[in-house]
């Protein structure tokens, strides 16, 4: 995702969906060089073609998804949200690059290794950690979100948007339930913006373009996908956590919404859902 966001940042201003000037600094040297060269048409074509061959649809899906979540997040802020929590924050830089978050407290929760590396990059590039961001570290094998919240006195009475991007497909069913149970604790009119994969990619990967190769590659990297939803089941599932689905879009839909001129097939199994706490 950091690579894809760095590549998008190098596009012409009239063509790109967003700018993430921090993403490139999370990359190793070879990928940083590739990202900087992306502004040249021949290099752009080569890199885009190479990514499409290796992971069909991943690049355009990731970029459109980023913009879609940005817009949905801004909408929740307009609707009264006063706090943002990013679960499994990784190299998400929304707290810095989105102007509407500058006055909003942002809590980032991630594994200590990732969180520490990110903090180091921020200190090197901007001289300090962002004032509106709190970095909390958790090893899910050792601690629960509820324990972390108690340790740091989370205020569940504040209208909150929880972003949970690129995580659910790596978890167990119990971990999914536990996390939605944590989100359920927040006050009415809080939101969850989360991604998931269509369950069919796990049961029949050949039914999606590039599905079999992708899952095989992930298994080799020991990043096996373990969980998915059937889209038609999401609404009822969330009801048990006092949440109502607002929107649920697949990659084809948010690509069409944001990238109508960048036709690309693949990754149709990846989805984004937005739900409100009732």
């Amino acid at each position: 995702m950091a690579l894809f966001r760095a590549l998008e940042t190098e596009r012409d201003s009239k063509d790109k969906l967003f700018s993430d000037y921090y993403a490139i600094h999370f990359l190793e040297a070879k990928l940083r060089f590739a990202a900087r060269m992306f502004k040249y048409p021949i290099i752009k074509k080569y890199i885009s073609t190479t990514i499409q061959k290796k992971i069909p649809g991943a690049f355009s899906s990731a970029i459109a998804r980023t913009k879609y979540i940005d817009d949905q997040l801004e909408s929740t802020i307009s609707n009264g949200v006063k706090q943002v929590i990013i679960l499994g924050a990784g190299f998400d830089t929304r707290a810095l690059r989105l102007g509407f978050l500058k006055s909003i407290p942002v809590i980032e929760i991630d594994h200590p290794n990732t969180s520490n590396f990110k903090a180091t990059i921020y200190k090197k590039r901007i001289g300090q950690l962002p004032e509106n961001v709190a970095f909390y570290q958790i090893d899910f094998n050792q601690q629960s979100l509820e324990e972390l919240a108690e340790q740091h006195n989370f205020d569940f009475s504040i209208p909150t948007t929880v972003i949970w991007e690129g995580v659910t497909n790596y978890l167990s069913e119990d971990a999914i339930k536990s996390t939605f149970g944590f989100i359920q604790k927040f006050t009415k009119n809080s939101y969850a913006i989360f991604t998931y994969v269509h369950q069919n990619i796990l049961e029949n990967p050949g039914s999606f373009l590039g599905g079999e190769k992708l899952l095989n590659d992930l298994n080799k990297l020991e990043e096996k996908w373990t969980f998915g939803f059937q889209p038609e089941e999401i609404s009822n599932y969330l009801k048990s956590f006092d949440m109502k689905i607002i929107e649920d879009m697949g990659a084809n839909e948010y690509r069409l919404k944001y990238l109508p001129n960048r036709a690309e097939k693949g990754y149709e199994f990846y989805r984004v859902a937005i739900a409100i706490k009732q």
Side-chain angles (χ1 to χ4, degrees):
M1 284 300 296
L3 173 62
F4 293 161
R5 289 169 179 164
L7 294 177
E8 184 68 10
T9 301
E10 293 297 327
R11 287 186 180 273
D12 293 337
S13 57
K14 64 175 187 269
D15 188 38
K16 61 186 173 185
L17 290 182
F18 57 83
S19 294
D20 184 347
Y21 296 107
Y22 305 96
I24 194 170
H25 300 297
F26 299 120
L27 305 176
E28 60 181 30
K30 290 181 179 178
L31 293 180
R32 286 201 304 272
F33 177 77
R36 291 191 175 104
M37 294 297 103
F38 194 70
K39 58 187 174 184
Y40 299 107
I42 190 170
I43 302 298
K44 180 188 300 180
K45 182 178 180 180
Y46 173 76
I47 292 175
S48 299
T49 301
T50 300
I51 294 173
Q52 180 65 7
K53 286 182 178 178
K54 289 181 176 294
I55 325 172
F59 187 7
S60 59
S61 171
I63 296 310
R65 181 179 95 208
T66 296
K67 177 61 174 172
Y68 179 46
I69 293 176
D70 288 353
D71 287 352
Q72 292 299 322
L73 175 59
E74 184 172 17
S75 177
T76 69
I77 301 297
S78 298
N79 288 337
V81 160
K82 303 299 183 184
Q83 173 178 260
V84 174
I85 295 179
I86 305 178
L87 299 178
F91 301 140
D92 184 319
T93 66
R94 289 184 170 94
L96 282 179
R97 65 179 178 79
L98 297 178
F100 61 83
L101 287 183
K102 291 191 183 301
S103 60
I104 300 291
V106 177
I107 295 172
E108 295 196 2
I109 302 174
D110 211 338
H111 189 279
N113 292 346
T114 306
S115 182
N116 287 332
F117 176 67
K118 186 176 188 179
T120 298
I121 293 296
Y122 277 165
K123 288 177 182 177
K124 285 182 179 179
R125 297 300 162 186
I126 62 177
Q128 62 183 17
L129 294 179
E131 293 183 359
N132 65 318
V133 185
F135 297 90
Y136 294 147
Q137 302 176 354
I138 185 170
D139 183 339
F140 285 98
N141 293 319
Q142 303 293 331
Q143 189 180 25
S144 70
L145 282 169
E146 285 77 9
E147 290 170 333
L148 184 76
E150 184 176 354
Q151 178 184 348
H152 294 284
N153 297 313
F154 282 20
D155 190 344
F156 291 97
S157 69
I158 299 174
T160 299
T161 293
V162 178
I163 296 178
W164 198 18
E165 182 182 9
V167 180
T168 63
N169 36 306
Y170 293 99
L171 302 181
S172 67
E173 183 175 359
D174 286 344
I176 300 289
K177 288 181 179 178
S178 176
T179 303
F180 277 118
F182 166 76
I183 297 172
Q184 184 182 16
K185 293 177 180 294
F186 286 94
T187 188
K188 181 180 178 181
N189 294 327
S190 292
Y191 296 83
I193 303 175
F194 64 97
T195 64
Y196 71 96
V197 297
H198 198 300
Q199 190 173 333
N200 289 358
I201 185 66
L202 305 178
E203 298 175 351
N204 184 20
S207 62
F208 294 95
L209 176 65
E212 286 183 306
K213 181 180 183 301
L214 174 62
L215 293 194
N216 287 334
D217 289 346
L218 288 169
N219 289 343
K220 291 176 184 177
L221 294 171
E222 297 184 355
E223 293 188 1
K224 184 178 181 179
W225 286 359
T226 53
F227 188 86
F229 282 110
Q230 293 290 350
E232 61 271 19
E233 296 175 356
I234 283 283
S235 181
N236 282 336
Y237 182 85
L238 290 176
K239 284 179 182 178
S240 64
F241 300 98
D242 303 320
M243 303 189 77
K244 179 182 178 182
I245 198 77
I246 297 174
E247 197 163 74
D248 180 5
M249 273 195 187
N252 272 348
E253 296 167 289
Y254 48 77
R255 271 197 300 235
L256 182 62
K257 179 180 177 70
Y258 292 104
L259 299 173
N261 298 320
R262 290 194 225 170
E264 192 174 87
K265 293 182 178 180
Y267 238 67
E268 287 83 3
F269 48 80
Y270 218 95
R271 304 183 66 84
V272 179
I274 299 94
I276 186 170
K277 170 69 186 301
Q278 296 187 303

